[in-house]
């Protein structure tokens, strides 16, 4: 059963860890302003997971790889994000890769998730394509 979307004040630190208030960091993306870079989209997606904003998670996922639904886990809490590496994904790029480490607590137990993600432009906006496979090839190509 999905939890309801959490609300956060604009001046509270953004969950993505960039050091800005939510209102000037990921908040505008969650309100419909497209992120300018692949890394900014990655950060806004992490924040959406942390805030249980399933609608944003799905809307920022490329239509050809998007699942039908995403079900939040009530025992899972996202508690930090580290960007390990980012390449491409800029204002004049059509593709980008962002490697990140997301920290979580699952029923109180600490854990990390590491992923190299592919982002592509679709209809002029950055979209999450999916993870890059461990053998170096891109997923879903």
């Amino acid at each position: 059963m999905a939890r309801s979307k959490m609300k956060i004040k604009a001046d509270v630190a953004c969950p993505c860890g960039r050091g800005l208030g939510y209102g000037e960091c990921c908040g505008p993306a969650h309100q419909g302003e497209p992120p300018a870079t692949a890394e900014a989209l990655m950060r806004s997606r992490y924040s959406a997971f942390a805030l249980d904003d399933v609608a944003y998670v799905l809307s920022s996922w490329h239509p050809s790889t998007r699942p039908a639904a995403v079900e939040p886990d009530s025992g899972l809490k996202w508690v930090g994000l580290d960007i390990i590496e980012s390449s491409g994904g800029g204002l004049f790029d059509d593709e980008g890769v962002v490697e990140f480490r997301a920290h979580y607590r699952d029923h109180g137990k600490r854990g990390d998730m590491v992923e190299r993600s592919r982002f592509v432009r679709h209809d002029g906006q950055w979209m999450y394509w999916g993870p890059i496979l461990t053998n170096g090839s891109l997923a879903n190509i």
Side-chain angles (χ1 to χ4, degrees), residues 41-119:
L41 178 63
M42 173 59 238
R43 288 180 176 280
S44 69
R45 286 177 53 80
Y46 170 83
S47 291
F49 274 105
L51 299 171
D52 288 334
D53 188 346
V54 172
Y56 182 81
V57 169
L58 289 171
S59 72
S60 61
W61 210 312
H62 194 278
S64 65
T65 60
R66 177 187 308 140
V70 174
E71 193 69 31
D73 179 343
S74 62
L76 188 69
K77 180 177 178 167
W78 298 99
V79 297
L81 176 69
D82 298 316
I83 301 297
I84 298 168
E85 182 180 4
S86 184
S87 62
L91 296 174
F92 303 107
D93 296 318
D94 290 327
E95 293 195 23
V97 174
V98 179
E99 183 174 0
F100 66 92
R101 175 175 282 113
H103 307 278
Y104 62 86
R105 290 187 186 269
D106 188 0
H107 296 89
K109 186 177 176 184
R110 293 180 187 192
D112 294 328
M113 177 189 133
V114 177
E115 181 178 305
R116 282 182 61 82
S117 300
R118 179 180 180 214
F119 294 85

Side-chain angles (χ1 to χ4, degrees), residues 113-134:
M113 177 189 133
V114 177
E115 181 178 305
R116 282 182 61 82
S117 300
R118 179 180 180 214
F119 294 85
V120 297
R121 285 203 191 264
H122 177 73
D123 293 336
Q125 295 184 20
W126 284 110
M127 304 291 284
Y128 171 73
W129 180 269
I132 296 175
L133 300 176
T134 57

